[in-house]
Amino acid sequence: MTDFRNKVVYQIYPKSFKDSDGDGVGDLRGIIEKLDYLAELGVDYLWITPFFLSPQKDNGYDVADYTAIDPRFGSMEDFEELVSAAGKRGLKIMLDMVLCHTSDQHLWFQKALEGDETYRRYYILRDGRNKKDPEDPGEPPTNWQCAFGGSAWQWEPRQGKWYLHLHDVSQPDLDWTNPRVREELAGVVRFWKERGVAGFRFDVINLISKPERFEDDTEGLGRRLFADGPHVHEYLRELVASAGLEGMVTVGEMASTDLENCLLYTRPEAHELSMVFNFHHLKVDYRDGDKWALMEPDIMELKRLFAAWQTGMAEGGGWNALFWCNHDQPRIVSRFGDEKTYRKESAKMLAACIHLMRGTPYIYQGEEIGMTNPGYTSIDQYRDVESLNHYQILLDKGKTEGEALEILSVRSRDNGRTPMQWSEEPHGGFSEAEPWIPVAANFAEVNVASDMREKDSIFSFYRELIRIRKEMPIVAEGGIRFLEEENPDVLAYERRWNNESLIVLCNFRRQYARLIKGCVSDYEKDGYRKRIGNYQGTGAGLRPYEVIVYHKVG
């Protein structure tokens, strides 16, 4: 069995995981403190988001030095101790590599600003359009928009050029057509590999290869022109070979990607990546594709997307990373579940729904106890650059402050970045000091200590799902077929392997739901045994947010 098919990854956002030194910011030693908790959960890899030296304009995804640890998170000695202590508990470290762009404070960009021609070629610099004279910046080279709002181009008078930034203005994109850039970045990966890192997550890696010609996007904001670019597969194969990544667990974050490219990224014979994240299933509550326009989740579209990607990747030999939450997404219980009346039930249903699909599941810190969005009511509580930018954009479009705040309370990336809720103690046991971002108000009810005291805890449900994956090869190796395709309430599928069958039935509604084809209890008449569920017993249909998993051999 390949190394990743029966494994589970736990994502840690260190700034919000555990503060060990009382400064209100999580750190590496805080992770060390909680390794026994993570080992008890049963996960295999710890994906740690960037803790490199950074001005923190984009919470560490603006890297100023790829091989230096930001002092607010600790030291290299702390990191080496973390790798060692994790290894003793059977846990491996996966690091986040941000290779599409650097911080504008990185030495390479600073040298470019000084006019060093070698480093000017590290970035994507272009003349403006419709210049009236040599001193005139003109207009941006294209109409592309950056991910956080506004033009993807910034005029830089010291260079006399516009530089491309597909993300924040403080994050200039690197020019991967330059072989020297590619070797520098491969060297960064080798540096961390030599320090015991066992896997890598590559941030927005499908944006590294830009189009041959830079032109306006007549249909959108540019993403379709620079996602999955002309040389991206070639660059990834080169990175794998140069950095010695063959056989290691790697995952790529794919922005605006498609199934065809993701098959190319993940087929074993391609020697590119172990698996990929795609985000299509997390846009089913975007009205007309607009993240900042609210609507109820379209469960039929969610089902269609899961079926297309699960079956398509299986037929083509690719591999999915399975996830609901991460540091860029709101909490899934608040989003697709019921954070009040059925918080525990919906948290468990959502977990089982993806953990038993074909792919490698990822758990984001706090997901295993059913953490919710914090429900912030003031713009002063937000820290995220995207949220702050879009708050102003929403006001400029005529939204009231209340309307803009309501949208942020649902959509902001800060919803997933609030401090981990460890206990009923002040600040949720995250820190003795005021945290860098406010803890959710419900920390006294929703926390690790109180959840683990309960016999039917969300934590124990996650632990059982992980155990099932490790003990039942059908989960890691089986094929997949979707059921109840016309049912607007129920997402259901069957996994098959050799002579085994696993049936997963998920009710996505807060009302009782029936199956189109027969009754739930019919499976028991056919020789199926209930393997796991979030309610006692079974009936003709599914109770609010109920999940039932049936297993049969023969």
Side-chain angles (χ1 to χ4, degrees):
M1 181 180 291
T2 49
D3 183 48
F4 53 85
R5 289 179 179 259
N6 70 342
K7 300 296 189 289
V8 178
V9 183
Y10 187 96
Q11 183 191 351
I12 293 174
Y13 192 70
K15 197 170 184 179
S16 295
F17 189 63
K18 183 66 174 73
D19 173 22
S20 72
D21 58 6
D23 64 356
V25 177
D27 46 51
L28 295 178
R29 299 212 66 82
I31 300 174
I32 294 171
E33 284 182 18
K34 297 300 182 180
L35 288 175
D36 287 338
Y37 167 80
L38 297 168
E40 183 178 355
L41 181 59
V43 297
D44 303 281
Y45 284 83
L46 306 180
W47 157 26
I48 306 174
T49 59
F51 49 78
F52 315 119
L53 194 66
S54 166
Q56 296 289 317
K57 296 289 182 63
D58 187 23
N59 275 296
Y61 283 87
D62 49 324
V63 180
D65 189 333
Y66 287 109
T67 58
I69 293 175
D70 195 310
R72 75 190 80 190
F73 295 120
S75 64
M76 190 62 75
E77 290 74 20
D78 293 329
F79 178 75
E80 290 168 352
E81 182 178 339
L82 170 60
V83 173
S84 174
K88 291 174 182 175
R89 294 164 173 80
L91 301 167
K92 297 180 179 180
I93 303 299
M94 174 186 285
L95 287 197
D96 212 323
M97 295 285 103
V98 189
L99 307 184
C100 182
H101 48 256
T102 69
S103 164
D104 58 4
Q105 301 303 306
H106 197 290
L107 181 62
W108 300 341
F109 195 69
Q110 292 298 306
K111 284 184 172 292
L113 293 181
E114 294 168 2
D116 187 317
E117 196 57 38
T118 294
Y119 290 98
R120 281 169 60 91
R121 290 197 293 270
Y122 274 39
Y123 296 92
I124 298 172
L125 311 176
R126 294 290 188 274
D127 289 321
R129 297 184 293 185
N130 303 321
K131 291 167 64 80
K132 297 183 179 64
D133 57 64
E135 300 300 317
D136 178 26
E139 299 170 4
T142 69
N143 68 346
W144 300 352
Q145 297 287 293
C146 79
F148 301 153
S151 175
W153 297 94
Q154 176 67 22
W155 171 251
E156 177 43 68
R158 287 166 290 183
Q159 300 186 55
K161 301 280 186 180
W162 294 80
Y163 68 82
L164 181 67
H165 61 93
L166 297 182
H167 293 81
D168 187 58
V169 66
S170 66
Q171 295 166 295
D173 277 51
L174 288 161
D175 187 354
W176 275 66
T177 65
N178 183 344
R180 183 163 173 172
V181 167
R182 301 200 300 273
E183 176 50 35
E184 289 260 29
L185 297 175
V188 168
V189 177
R190 287 193 297 269
F191 175 89
W192 291 107
K193 181 185 171 186
E194 290 164 2
R195 280 153 184 79
V197 174
F200 293 95
R201 181 261 193 186
F202 295 107
D203 186 61
V204 291
I205 197 67
N206 68 321
L207 304 185
I208 59 176
S209 176
K210 308 307 190 282
E212 305 286 0
R213 292 179 58 231
F214 282 45
E215 55 191 5
D216 282 351
D217 184 354
T218 58
E219 299 178 21
L221 303 179
R223 189 62 66 95
R224 67 185 185 89
L225 300 181
F226 50 73
D228 302 316
H231 301 289
V232 64
H233 297 287
E234 166 193 333
Y235 292 157
L236 278 173
R237 289 192 294 272
E238 180 184 290
L239 177 65
V240 168
S242 180
L245 298 179
E246 192 70 47
M248 297 184 71
V249 174
T250 55
V251 57
E253 180 194 30
M254 303 297 165
S256 303
T257 191
D258 57 36
L259 179 60
E260 180 183 6
N261 273 291
C262 286
L263 284 169
L264 294 174
Y265 291 127
T266 62
R267 276 198 294 242
E269 62 270 21
H271 302 286
E272 293 184 23
L273 298 167
S274 306
M275 67 194 87
V276 290
F277 292 112
N278 84 81
F279 297 88
H280 298 286
H281 65 297
L282 293 177
K283 298 179 181 179
V284 298
D285 54 354
Y286 290 9
R287 186 179 300 281
D288 299 322
D290 181 359
K291 173 178 176 176
W292 305 97
L294 306 183
M295 63 176 273
E296 286 295 309
D298 185 339
I299 301 305
M300 288 299 286
E301 178 65 3
L302 179 73
K303 289 170 48 147
R304 187 193 70 77
L305 286 165
F306 271 137
W309 279 83
Q310 282 282 299
T311 57
M313 291 289 269
E315 290 168 0
W319 197 253
N320 289 294
L322 306 169
F323 73 107
W324 289 121
C325 299
N326 64 29
H327 61 288
D328 286 335
Q329 298 293 331
R331 292 288 179 177
I332 198 61
V333 172
S334 300
R335 190 173 185 179
F336 290 174
D338 183 330
E339 65 179 26
K340 293 183 168 55
T341 306
Y342 296 107
R343 185 182 65 85
K344 287 179 62 175
E345 291 85 355
S346 57
K348 292 177 181 181
M349 181 278 289
L350 290 161
C353 178
I354 60 165
H355 272 250
L356 299 174
M357 285 185 184
R358 183 180 180 276
T360 298
Y362 285 67
I363 301 168
Y364 180 64
Q365 62 185 49
E367 194 175 352
E368 76 280 10
I369 60 166
M371 278 179 60
T372 67
N373 290 347
Y376 290 156
T377 56
S378 166
I379 192 62
D380 295 334
Q381 295 172 292
Y382 289 93
R383 304 290 181 267
D384 174 39
V385 60
E386 180 191 47
S387 300
L388 297 175
N389 286 353
H390 276 276
Y391 177 73
Q392 189 59 50
I393 290 170
L394 290 167
L395 294 181
D396 292 343
K397 287 182 176 179
K399 298 288 186 184
T400 66
E401 287 187 10
E403 290 170 333
L405 285 170
E406 170 64 20
I407 292 170
L408 256 63
S409 73
V410 176
R411 291 285 189 254
S412 173
R413 299 192 302 177
D414 279 342
N415 286 313
R417 298 177 179 184
T418 59
M420 182 72 176
Q421 294 162 208
W422 293 105
S423 69
E424 301 91 337
E425 297 172 0
H427 313 306
F430 163 73
S431 175
E432 295 178 359
E434 189 75 26
W436 69 278
I437 189 171
V439 67
N442 64 3
F443 73 86
E445 297 80 40
V446 181
N447 59 72
V448 170
S450 62
D451 184 77
M452 293 181 75
R453 283 196 296 265
E454 297 182 17
K455 185 172 65 174
D456 61 341
S457 69
I458 301 171
F459 179 90
S460 63
F461 192 86
Y462 268 85
R463 188 168 54 188
E464 181 63 14
L465 288 172
I466 294 169
R467 191 166 73 87
I468 289 172
R469 171 169 291 268
K470 295 181 186 305
E471 293 182 357
M472 299 177 65
I474 187 174
V475 179
E477 301 296 332
I480 189 165
R481 176 174 71 96
F482 280 77
L483 312 171
E484 294 286 314
E485 292 176 300
E486 302 306 315
N487 192 325
D489 305 322
V490 176
L491 188 156
Y493 56 90
E494 179 186 25
R495 305 294 309 279
R496 291 198 69 87
W497 185 73
N498 294 340
N499 66 336
E500 287 185 66
S501 172
L502 198 71
I503 302 290
V504 181
L505 306 173
C506 303
N507 180 6
F508 269 74
R509 306 296 184 186
R510 57 178 59 89
Q511 296 85 30
Y512 188 87
R514 295 188 179 276
L515 302 185
I516 291 176
K517 298 181 179 179
C519 296
V520 170
S521 55
D522 288 345
Y523 284 104
E524 296 171 17
K525 297 175 186 176
D526 290 338
Y528 282 87
R529 180 178 63 88
K530 183 178 176 182
R531 183 62 183 81
I532 190 173
N534 59 350
Y535 281 86
Q536 293 293 318
T538 56
L542 295 168
R543 288 159 282 191
Y545 296 105
E546 183 168 14
V547 60
I548 298 177
V549 179
Y550 283 116
H551 180 236
K552 179 181 178 181
V553 178

